[in-house]
Amino acid sequence: MAIRSLLSINKKKQKGVIVDRNKENSFPADLMAKCPECKKIYLTKELENNLKVCPQCDYHYKMTAFERVSILLDEGTFESFDENLRTSNPLKFPSYLEKIEIDSHKTGLNEAVLTGMGSIKGTQVVVAIMDSHFRMGSMGSVVGEKITRAIEKATEYELPFIIFTASGGARMQEGVISLMQMAKTSVALKRHSDHGLLFISIMTHPTTGGVSASFASLGDLNIAEPQALIGFAGRRVIEQTVREKLPDDFQTAEFLLAHGQLDAIFHRKEMRDKLATIVKLHAKGGVSNV
Amino acid sequence: MSKSLDFEEPVVKLREKIEELKEIAKSAEVDMSTEINTLETRLQQLETKIYTNMEPWDRVQVARHAQRPTTMDYIKEIFTDFIELHGDRAFGDDEAIIGGIASFEGQPITIIGHQRGKTTKENIRRNFGMPHPEGYRKALRLMKQAEKFKRPIICFIDTKGAYPGKAAEERGQSEAIAKNLFEMAGLKVPVISVVIGEGGSGGALALGVANKIYMLENSTYSVISPEGAASILWKDATLAKQAAEAMKITAFDLKDMGIIDGIVIEVAGGAHRDVQAQALELKKCINNALEELHALSETQLIDNRYDKFRKIGEFIEETN
């Protein structure tokens, strides 16, 4: 199911891509961008200055893991973990490792998640940031292992753990091993939680399948970015199963909030401030110590 | 006799021929015992050959067999004093998962399992064994109850997956599954999970964070159905047979990968051919596992579960 939803997301994604330079009647990719929501055309520079949020309609573009680090953490504080882990090919799927290699080159990441430690307004936190530009952010062994190690470090150092999810779900090429990463990350989060430590999950577009059905939903606070697609099964699969038209806002962050599935939706512009406040309110010994 | 599957067609045909011959011998009063004996020997050889060389796709067929024993069948055969307990205390009672308390070899126990139907009518009632969030929440409620009274928990996994529906999404299918993974990690009592049919994705795993995981010989456990995998990998759902192989979903595959603890051997041709004999085999397995786990303290049980899942994953760690 996770993977099917990934397909439908791929289709959607194409609308959101910055216009290709080679296509006829298009704008230079590095200069201009067109909002997939409101169709406004503006300078890429303008978009980047606005944290990749459409200045007119608030559409939240996807971000790379490194872009998130730069808008979230205090400058120069980020230290990356486990860059030496590499994907293997346990089920021997043809051309799997080649695809990994291409995405690794494209994103500068060893896998679909960047993990590490840094500070938010002076408070140390451990973070994991998924990047949907890498195999749709799907979770295989390395993603599961990096996230689990990051959680274990947070437990060891008694630090809050913050994750930004962006994933189509399980990595199909790793079969049942990828399914088991859901359990692996969840048992690690349970131990972190039993130590009285804070875990904040921020679901960004898209968070579906096995990722939404494991760590993404296990935050002490479950937060989302506006309009993010969040769900277990893919829209198409559900439409085929129930044979009815689903509402337009189905599986959006706003839909989940209305159905009691989220604590809050934070606009990207207020994300850092709000997270800093939440972390501060959970400091050991209570607020009076801060 | 239940309907035969494609791969066992030769066995079924030969068996019919022998029966026919016996009838003729009886009515015509001629001695055909030599011929019958020869054929019966050949039948035995053929059975051994076919049932010991089952392809993954053959096993998928057996796992999906309409008459394959369900959670309820095993409960009847293995446990006594079973009392079913219903509901999640929040929304409703999902009949795609059943649970309750019972006695196993004299000790109180909690049983939880996916429940599909054997008839269309029953399948509609049980949503083909595909749970909604309230099913998982009922399961969790019964697990916490078991923990309070220090009862071991036995889970039977038998689902194509969690239900992909509108209501399921509205009520938090993802959260319900995730919460089970999380809470099962911390249970202070022994947990044993057995895949008895199909173990489909997150909907199966939500009853699977156990100290001991077993699979019946012809059951499957996978991240996606062979049909789903085929349509994504090769854009063609009819290549499910190949996908069943490539995705490594049989009990033997999972044992090789170190994910499950053991395989419960099935009666020849599949569990549906002899429920009593199969239940006995399963009972032995549960008994051994419980004996082993009883030696562990609460902390050891939790650590054991942690270590079990912690080590799953295949990757390369480069030295810098």
Side-chain angles (χ1 to χ4, degrees), chain B residues 80-154:
Chain B
T80 52
D81 304 327
F82 178 68
I83 295 174
E84 187 178 350
L85 303 174
H86 297 269
D88 71 339
R89 297 291 189 273
F91 179 80
D93 185 38
D94 185 350
E95 295 191 271
I97 288 186
I98 59 166
I101 48 176
S103 173
F104 179 77
E105 305 284 57
Q107 70 166 308
I109 206 155
T110 286
I111 312 158
I112 298 159
H114 298 104
Q115 183 65 45
R116 40 178 193 85
K118 287 185 179 172
T119 60
T120 308
K121 198 176 158 197
E122 201 193 349
N123 257 324
I124 288 166
R125 185 178 132 209
R126 302 210 177 267
N127 201 32
F128 296 82
M130 302 174 85
H132 280 74
E134 51 273 21
Y136 294 111
R137 289 174 182 140
K138 168 169 72 177
L140 183 57
R141 181 177 77 80
L142 296 179
M143 288 182 206
K144 298 302 263 184
Q145 185 193 65
E147 185 178 45
K148 175 180 173 185
F149 296 104
K150 301 191 190 304
R151 288 192 290 263
I153 300 164
I154 313 287

Side-chain angles (χ1 to χ4, degrees), chain A residues 148 152 187-188 191, chain B residues 302-310:
Chain A
T148 304
E152 286 177 334
V187 300
R191 190 171 275 187
Chain B
I302 292 168
D303 289 349
N304 165 277
R305 232 173 279 133
Y306 192 94
D307 297 340
K308 182 179 192 62
F309 288 95
R310 181 63 189 86

Side-chain angles (χ1 to χ4, degrees), chain A residues 48-243:
Chain A
E48 271 159 17
N49 287 342
N50 204 39
L51 308 178
K52 290 181 110 175
V53 175
C54 172
Q56 180 166 288
C57 77
D58 264 352
Y59 176 82
H60 283 52
Y61 281 78
K62 288 180 184 177
M63 293 190 101
T64 68
F66 291 112
E67 284 169 340
R68 290 233 180 247
V69 165
S70 72
I71 65 164
L72 177 74
L73 298 175
D74 301 338
E75 209 180 329
T77 63
F78 181 70
E79 178 204 328
S80 172
F81 296 155
D82 301 310
E83 288 175 347
N84 59 329
L85 300 188
R86 296 274 175 271
T87 296
S88 66
N89 190 358
L91 304 193
K92 315 241 175 326
F93 263 96
S95 75
Y96 175 42
L97 291 180
E98 285 80 348
K99 285 174 185 161
I100 295 289
E101 194 55 45
I102 290 167
D103 283 5
S104 184
H105 192 76
K106 190 174 77 185
T107 59
L109 296 164
N110 60 335
E111 252 289 356
V113 67
L114 176 68
T115 57
M117 201 155 67
S119 65
I120 297 185
K121 298 196 177 178
T123 311
Q124 278 296 97
V125 292
V126 172
V127 295
I129 301 167
M130 302 187 85
D131 195 325
S132 62
H133 304 89
F134 195 119
R135 300 271 90 210
M136 271 310 289
S138 60
M139 173 163 63
S141 293
V142 173
V143 170
E145 183 69 20
K146 283 186 81 173
I147 291 172
T148 304
R149 287 189 187 189
I151 299 165
E152 286 177 334
K153 284 217 177 81
T155 309
E156 188 190 334
Y157 301 143
E158 303 205 315
L159 292 176
F161 177 63
I162 299 175
I163 191 161
F164 283 78
T165 61
S167 175
R171 176 83 51 86
M172 205 180 36
Q173 288 90 341
E174 294 190 30
V176 73
I177 299 174
S178 72
L179 179 72
M180 293 297 155
Q181 303 308 306
M182 292 168 64
K184 181 161 98 178
T185 50
S186 298
V187 300
L189 282 172
K190 174 68 177 156
R191 190 171 275 187
H192 182 260
S193 177
D194 286 346
H195 280 72
L197 300 167
L198 170 69
F199 167 40
I200 309 171
S201 168
I202 300 108
M203 296 174 236
T204 74
H205 182 80
T207 296
T208 59
V211 165
S212 96
S214 58
F215 51 82
S217 298
L218 291 173
D220 293 297
L221 284 83
N222 290 334
I223 312 288
E225 280 197 332
Q227 296 155 41
L229 172 78
I230 304 161
F232 177 68
R235 186 190 186 95
R236 219 177 31 149
V237 176
I238 298 172
E239 274 177 342
Q240 280 165 4
T241 313
V242 301
R243 296 186 191 288

Side-chain angles (χ1 to χ4, degrees), chain B residues 250-269:
Chain B
T250 70
F252 299 92
D253 293 326
L254 271 89
K255 184 79 179 63
D256 284 346
M257 290 189 266
I259 294 173
I260 61 167
D261 295 273
I263 299 169
V264 183
I265 296 304
E266 287 192 28
V267 294

Side-chain angles (χ1 to χ4, degrees), chain B residues 147-166:
Chain B
E147 185 178 45
K148 175 180 173 185
F149 296 104
K150 301 191 190 304
R151 288 192 290 263
I153 300 164
I154 313 287
C155 293
F156 292 127
I157 294 172
D158 187 15
T159 185
K160 290 181 186 304
Y163 188 63
K166 182 166 171 267

